Amino acid sequence: MTPALSIVNLRKVYRRGTVAVDGLSMTVNPGDFFGFLGPNGAGKSTTLHCVTGIATVTSGTIEVFGFDAVKQYRDARRLIGLSPQEFNVDIFATPRQIVDWMGGYFGLGAAERKRRVDELMERFDLVEHQKKPFRELSGGLKRRVILARALVHQPKLLILDEPTAGVDVELRLDLWRYLAELNRDGTTILLTSHYLEEVERLCRTIAIVSRGKIVRNGPKEEFLAGGLESAYLAATGARPEHIAGAAA
Amino acid sequence: MIVNWIGLWTIIRREISRLMRVPVQAFVAPWVSALLFIFIFGSVVGPRIASIGGHRYLEFVLPGILMLNIINAAFLQASTQVYFQRFMRSVEEVLVAPLSYAEMIAGTLVTVVFRTVGTALGILVIAALFGVTHVDAIGEFLFWVVIVSAIFGLIGIVIGLWAKSFEQLTVLNIFFITPLSFVGGVFNTVDMLPPGVRWLAYGNPFFYFINGLRHSMIGFGEASEPLGAVISLVLLAALAVAVWRLFSKGYGLRE
């Protein structure tokens, strides 16, 4: 079975010499809901940027459904949808334009684009906001636009980099339901989040990254025995009693 | 490799949409500036200057004014387009999509030509009101408009990739483009320059651009047009390769 995502010995060194990812390897199986956890600066976003082409790869290989993400980047990127942590859009454009343009970049024809944009505006409750400039939207609405944009071309691998950061409880629950539905329909999802509850509820496989390396990887059940939070803190090198002590 | 035509067209329509958000800055400003030049040279200064090669001074100077505006429009369009996308990080939308570097560059250049042609048409309409719009050789005229637009579009892309601030975007325009345009024969023939500085014209590619456009419009030339065309094509090819290399390395684009 060809993995949805295979990363082997990925290394990313920035121009100033910072080693962001240091020999990271992991595999995401097709249809999985994969939680990718780690502290800030551990290399999660950099890894995702290397997968999607936002960052160059220093060494190592990345394959998306068997396509090399560097040598066969067009085939690989066609299969990926990315919802990044930062709002990387033209803030003067409208939600409708943003989603429509992304559909265009992925080669969707005018009729199909219109159908998909209408569907997504409806699905994410953006209809009444679809012609307002992005910069005038609330944080939650902006996050919905970014998600709609990631989904316009119906990717086989959906990468979500902290998709619920800064959104209210209602939207978060709605989003969880929607992601679970997408995953049931066959979309492979790779999720990074600092909300362990979110990961525990949605993911089937979890990998923890620390200092640019995978330090623990396996089915969710393996992490739940002693609690996901303890497993996470132990894997990243922080000890719960120290954190509790500091808080006291 | 199969061209992603829809993706390419999307880059073009996105940039045209962005351009149409600032029509005053993009089109009206150069038209007003050209109108002032045409008025001063046509009705104030021009009548006091003897004809040049049998042409009224305004007829002589119009191709230079046109070329100045084409160069500015091309450079500003490409440099701000690239820099704006980097600044907003919206360039990442294109980077994650199945688009080749050639498609990204071509999309930018088509928008550049759209803006320069729009600017040039407006100036020609204004000049027609003063009775001076002549285009003797339309093919040659279009060649110069398109090739100069592409050259300065590519230079604009390089600056857009390099700039770290809005101020840096203007550096090339202030210290390179404007001075070379002015000594490239916009307002005068080479003969009018002191003999000691005539090399500033002959060694200046801007002189050949203006000379070519002027020849296509009024049939007046001071240098070989084929030589100018060769210089321009070589420059275009060199810049295209350089820009493609920068894109393929991810310079200014990828982390």
Side-chain angles (χ1 to χ4, degrees), chain B residues 7 54 59 119 238:
Chain B
E59 290 170 335
T119 304

Side-chain angles (χ1 to χ4, degrees), chain B:
Chain B
M1 185 183 280
I2 298 163
V3 177
N4 178 355
W5 291 109
I6 298 175
L8 173 59
W9 173 239
T10 303
I11 294 176
I12 296 164
R13 65 190 178 88
R14 180 201 68 203
E15 280 313 308
I16 290 175
S17 146
R18 192 177 72 81
L19 191 59
M20 298 320 284
R21 283 186 221 147
V22 286
V24 173
Q25 182 192 320
F27 295 110
V28 178
W31 292 341
V32 169
S33 153
L35 172 66
L36 292 171
F37 271 116
I38 291 168
F39 171 70
I40 296 294
F41 290 121
S43 306
V44 182
V45 178
R48 295 162 199 271
I49 297 175
S51 69
I52 297 173
H55 300 280
R56 285 159 57 199
Y57 184 63
L58 181 55
E59 290 170 335
F60 172 83
V61 89
L62 179 64
I65 295 169
L66 203 54
M67 187 53 86
L68 263 182
N69 281 286
I70 287 169
I71 288 171
N72 268 319
F75 177 76
L76 286 174
Q77 176 59 33
S79 58
T80 52
Q81 178 175 332
V82 172
Y83 183 73
F84 179 82
Q85 287 185 75
R86 289 176 58 220
F87 183 74
M88 298 273 183
R89 296 187 65 172
S90 59
V91 70
E92 291 176 5
E93 292 185 323
V94 180
L95 295 177
V96 303
L99 286 158
S100 68
Y101 307 125
E103 286 155 359
M104 294 178 202
I105 297 165
T108 306
L109 292 184
V110 171
T111 322
V112 162
V113 172
F114 173 84
R115 178 164 171 174
T116 58
V117 167
T119 304
L121 281 175
I123 294 172
L124 287 176
V125 168
I126 292 165
L129 300 174
F130 288 78
V132 286
T133 298
H134 305 289
V135 178
D136 283 354
I138 188 76
E140 191 184 346
F141 177 81
L142 289 175
F143 169 83
W144 285 107
V145 170
V146 172
I147 201 162
V148 172
S149 301
I151 287 170
F152 285 90
L154 290 167
I155 293 172
I157 291 175
V158 174
I159 297 301
L161 291 173
W162 164 78
K164 305 263 184 306
S165 66
F166 281 102
E167 187 167 71
Q168 286 183 340
L169 280 183
T170 62
V171 167
L172 195 84
N173 215 349
I174 294 167
F175 295 106
F176 180 70
I177 293 177
T178 305
L180 284 181
S181 308
F182 274 71
V183 297
V186 173
F187 303 108
N188 55 277
T189 61
V190 179
D191 289 350
M192 292 177 185
L193 292 171
V197 295
R198 284 180 189 165
W199 63 269
L200 277 175
Y202 290 119
N204 174 0
F206 288 60
F207 167 72
Y208 297 95
F209 305 149
I210 296 165
N211 183 68
L213 194 70
R214 184 171 282 140
H215 185 263
S216 75
M217 290 179 75
I218 59 172
F220 179 86
E222 298 177 272
S224 154
E225 291 81 36
L227 173 67
V230 169
I231 291 170
S232 305
L233 287 168
V234 168
L235 199 54
L236 179 71
L239 283 165
V241 170
V243 168
W244 191 86
R245 291 275 298 158
L246 291 177
F247 268 71
S248 59
K249 281 175 178 276
Y251 175 79
L253 291 171
R254 297 184 200 277
E255 294 165 1

